[in-house]
Amino acid sequence: MFETWFSQADAILLARFQFAFTIAFHIIFPAFTIGLASYLAVLEGLFLKTRNPVYQKLYRYWLKIFAVAFGMGVVSGIVMSYQFGTNWSVFSDKAGPVIGPLMGYEVLTAFFLEAGFLGVMLFGMNKVGERLHYFATLMVAVGTAISAFWILSVNSWMQTPAGFAMNEQGQYVVTSWMEAIFNPSFPYRLAHMLLAAYLTTAFVVGAVGAWHLLKDKSSQAARKMFSMAMWMALIVAPLQVFVGDLHGLNTQEHQPAKVAAMEGHFKSEAQAPLYLFGWPNEEEAKVDYAIKIPGLASFILKHDVNATVTGLDAFPRDEWPPVPIVFWSFRIMVGIGLLMVFIGLWSGYLRLRKQLYDRPLLHRAAVLMGPLGFVAVIAGWVVTEVGRQPWVIHGLLRTSDAASPIDAVGVGSSLVAFIVVYFLVFGAGTVYMLRKMAGNPESTHIPNYARVPMAAERLYHEEG
Amino acid sequence: MDYALIWAILIAVSVFAYVALDGFDLGMGILFPWIKEETYRDRMVNSVAPVWDGNETWLVLGGGGLLAVFPLAYSVLMPALYMPVIAMLLGLIFRGVAFEFRFKSKANKHWWDRAFMLGSMVAAFSQGVMLGAMLQGIEVTDRAYSGGWFDWLSPFTIFAGLSVCVGYALLGASWLVMKTDGPLQQRAYEYGRNSGILLIMAIAAASVYLVSSFENVAERWLTWPGSAALWLVPFVLAIVGGGLLTSLTKQQEGRPYLWALGVFLIAFVGFGASIFPYLIPFEISIWEAAAPDNSLAFLLVGAVILLPIIFAYTGYTYWVFRGKVSEDSGYHE
């Protein structure tokens, strides 16, 4: 009965929207916890080395925020591991033999490691002592990075599949695991995402530090975290521009249609212009209201002003990704990246002049930059995922052929349920994290780490 | 080497590990309606706070592992069990975040308590429904689910859902017996007895129903060698059930949890034997569902090396947090 109201096309569109929604929400938490876990490992290491209590304070301060973010990452991640099957069963059946084992390795090498040692990290200090506790922190940090390794390998295989053949059931079968795991786009995507996670976290830490500096510029804890974050901005943001460029060149080689959409290049041409802004008009195959710099795209993509850059005209119309979404998401990502570089340079200049803690304008800017890393991460994922369309596995399996035999009503109602629950639950979680971040780091409670009898030592979030 | 069989056993082990570990922590939420005192609830939540993350990871291994080694079964089961799967995931979201959130906001604590309670119940109930739906059969045509939207819903699956809630309440109560003392522990003994009796009755009823209503299942248990095993089932269930109830009555702290696992293991082996070697009963066998051998072998290397390590550090975590969770937990400074 319902089938007559909605077509299969609606079901696929809703399933795509559901995946986009749940994964965009999910990626926010890992992007933050990958960075924060490493930051916590650095803080605890520095404390053990220097015994400077400010590091201990910062560790306890960020640990509580980490706990909330990690919990939300876990539960939104469980959804992802079942989402492949509920809405994309054809994809699961065909690609399962390739991506399944990689995700299996993610669970075995990363998820258990993180979850296993998280308990010790959060609640175990006075049970295991400093050294083992530091070990637990390191294991959690390593776990988050290993997790990124596997899941980015999976995603990269979907972008640039390698090392496979097809069996008689129509499934993809791996012929070389090395080639499949280290497929052509994987190293670039992994480096780009890890740096993005570190940068995103650095800008959150920087924003919180700046916020507290604006209230009290003598705060040692606020100074320390702001200073550490600005070092990251100065060093990692330019590095990210470099890695991002390499990633773009790699995409140009393997997925030229995606790059053409990113750049708004409808026709293949020599001395291709770089469109700064404009509105890609797919019907007329041109960029409206364009502000462009002639030849610059050829220079960036081919390192030669006169080189010919492949445009969308080189591909059949039904193999184009949705151009405006890719074009604009790319500009949002790059724009935020350049802002980060600017903040890094500005802070470096003020640090040289010994004014890092004395310029409220920089601090205000840093506060505003706080959430932008997440925006850039999501925009970047939109570029690469929407840019891969109409394929779910590039060049092999179309998204429209990959979905489950579920009708639109089913997918639509679960989508509504996810939207309501996510906004409610993760909205509350965000409020709690912001509340923690608003708390003064100087007054972070340091529990008594002496070994005490069981009764007094259940330190579950000691300040309640 | 028969990789599919090895993996079927490994997946069964990880599902059982999931039930054994997450069962008791879902049980905390299921027991909430009977334990309303705030300090008791805090103790219950604290007793599982350091380990729940790891416990739930077994569920991710179940989902991810099924996709990796039995992709066909995964791609048939997920659409077939769409609604209970989504309900389970949403339930797990609520209860998972409630661990953190209920200590973050005094004003909203009672709401997060409810989220913890309902989330745990919905997750447990959905898992039971999925088990029931698998046992009663799933329609398959050409490597895809071909049944309707509500095929998973039947009196039997609802019964299975409720039974799993009862079972997890038993695991939760036996866990509390180990982790608490005083009046809360006394109540845990009582809830353990009640849920234990209910669970054993439920398993018996489900077994009778399966054997009497499904020809394929009946054929296995009513002919040799199944018929011999069938006669053993009531005895084994009686011994383990008796052990459970005795240990609860005699208040032997460490034992009820192990006996409860025994009850689960019997049910698990019994249901498994009813459908083996099918993953989707009597449609898709483990060999038909299995991924190509090189995928199975590749992940098996990792599993053989890593699972013992995982068991070791999981065990270490439990050892670090061994002992009773005390009344005056330190978080209300």
Side-chain angles (χ1 to χ4, degrees), chain B residues 203-213:
Chain B
I203 291 172
S207 309
V208 170
Y209 172 77
L210 280 173
V211 173
S212 60
S213 312

Side-chain angles (χ1 to χ4, degrees), chain A residues 200-280:
Chain A
T200 298
T201 308
F203 274 89
V204 173
V205 172
V208 172
W211 172 265
H212 292 289
L213 280 178
L214 285 168
K215 289 202 278 190
D216 171 15
K217 72 175 187 175
S218 68
S219 162
Q220 287 304 314
R223 283 176 171 228
K224 184 60 81 183
M225 64 175 130
F226 185 67
S227 166
M228 291 173 88
M230 289 302 111
W231 275 121
M232 287 290 286
L234 180 62
I235 298 162
V236 180
L239 185 62
Q240 179 72 315
V241 172
F242 175 70
V243 169
D245 179 53
L246 290 180
H247 189 18
L249 294 177
N250 177 269
T251 309
Q252 167 75 15
E253 188 183 337
H254 295 280
Q255 297 173 293
K258 184 192 285 184
V259 174
M262 284 154 64
E263 300 289 357
H265 289 149
F266 287 96
K267 6 181 240 278
S268 307
E269 58 187 331
Q271 296 179 9
L274 183 77
Y275 293 104
L276 295 178
F277 297 104
W279 186 259

Side-chain angles (χ1 to χ4, degrees), chain A residues 7-262:
Chain A
S7 68
Q8 187 61 24
D10 293 323
I12 287 167
L13 196 65
L14 287 168
R16 287 176 64 185
F17 193 76
Q18 185 174 123
F19 203 91
F21 177 79
T22 49
I23 204 160
F25 244 99
H26 172 64
I27 194 65
I28 291 174
F29 304 114
F32 189 36
T33 50
I34 289 169
L36 208 46
S38 297
Y39 185 51
L40 286 167
V42 169
L43 287 172
E44 192 171 23
L46 284 171
F47 172 68
L48 292 177
K49 192 158 178 267
T50 66
R51 294 285 157 184
N52 181 348
V54 75
Y55 291 119
Q56 194 182 26
K57 263 183 199 169
L58 288 177
Y59 182 85
R60 300 300 307 183
Y61 182 82
W62 285 103
L63 183 63
K64 302 208 177 66
I65 295 160
F66 179 75
V68 178
F70 195 90
M72 294 194 285
V74 169
V75 292
S76 61
I78 295 176
V79 173
M80 299 320 304
S81 82
Y82 285 85
Q83 180 112 98
F84 292 108
T86 49
N87 289 338
W88 302 100
S89 62
V90 175
F91 167 75
S92 300
D93 181 24
K94 287 179 182 297
V98 182
I99 66 167
L102 305 190
M103 289 197 280
Y105 267 99
E106 183 183 19
V107 181
L108 292 171
T109 56
F111 290 168
F112 277 111
L113 197 64
E114 297 170 68
F117 285 99
L118 182 74
V120 177
M121 185 181 178
L122 293 181
F123 314 117
M125 180 55 109
N126 33 15
K127 289 180 186 294
V128 300
E130 285 180 345
R131 280 165 176 276
L132 271 175
H133 188 268
Y134 183 48
F135 179 75
T137 305
L138 284 178
M139 286 303 106
V140 172
V142 169
T144 58
I146 297 176
S147 164
F149 174 93
W150 291 110
I151 201 65
L152 285 158
S153 175
V154 168
N155 180 271
S156 299
W157 187 84
M158 292 163 66
Q159 308 276 356
T160 52
F164 67 97
M166 189 180 259
N167 69 8
E168 64 266 34
Q169 283 92 30
Q171 292 175 309
Y172 302 104
V173 186
V174 172
T175 52
S176 160
W177 286 101
M178 284 304 280
E179 282 175 35
I181 294 169
F182 294 95
N183 58 75
S185 64
F186 171 54
Y188 301 96
R189 186 170 280 103
L190 177 65
H192 197 41
M193 180 62 201
L194 282 178
L195 290 181
Y198 295 141
L199 264 182
T200 298
T201 308
F203 274 89
V204 173
V205 172
V208 172
W211 172 265
H212 292 289
L213 280 178
L214 285 168
K215 289 202 278 190
D216 171 15
K217 72 175 187 175
S218 68
S219 162
Q220 287 304 314
R223 283 176 171 228
K224 184 60 81 183
M225 64 175 130
F226 185 67
S227 166
M228 291 173 88
M230 289 302 111
W231 275 121
M232 287 290 286
L234 180 62
I235 298 162
V236 180
L239 185 62
Q240 179 72 315
V241 172
F242 175 70
V243 169
D245 179 53
L246 290 180
H247 189 18
L249 294 177
N250 177 269
T251 309
Q252 167 75 15
E253 188 183 337
H254 295 280
Q255 297 173 293
K258 184 192 285 184
V259 174
M262 284 154 64

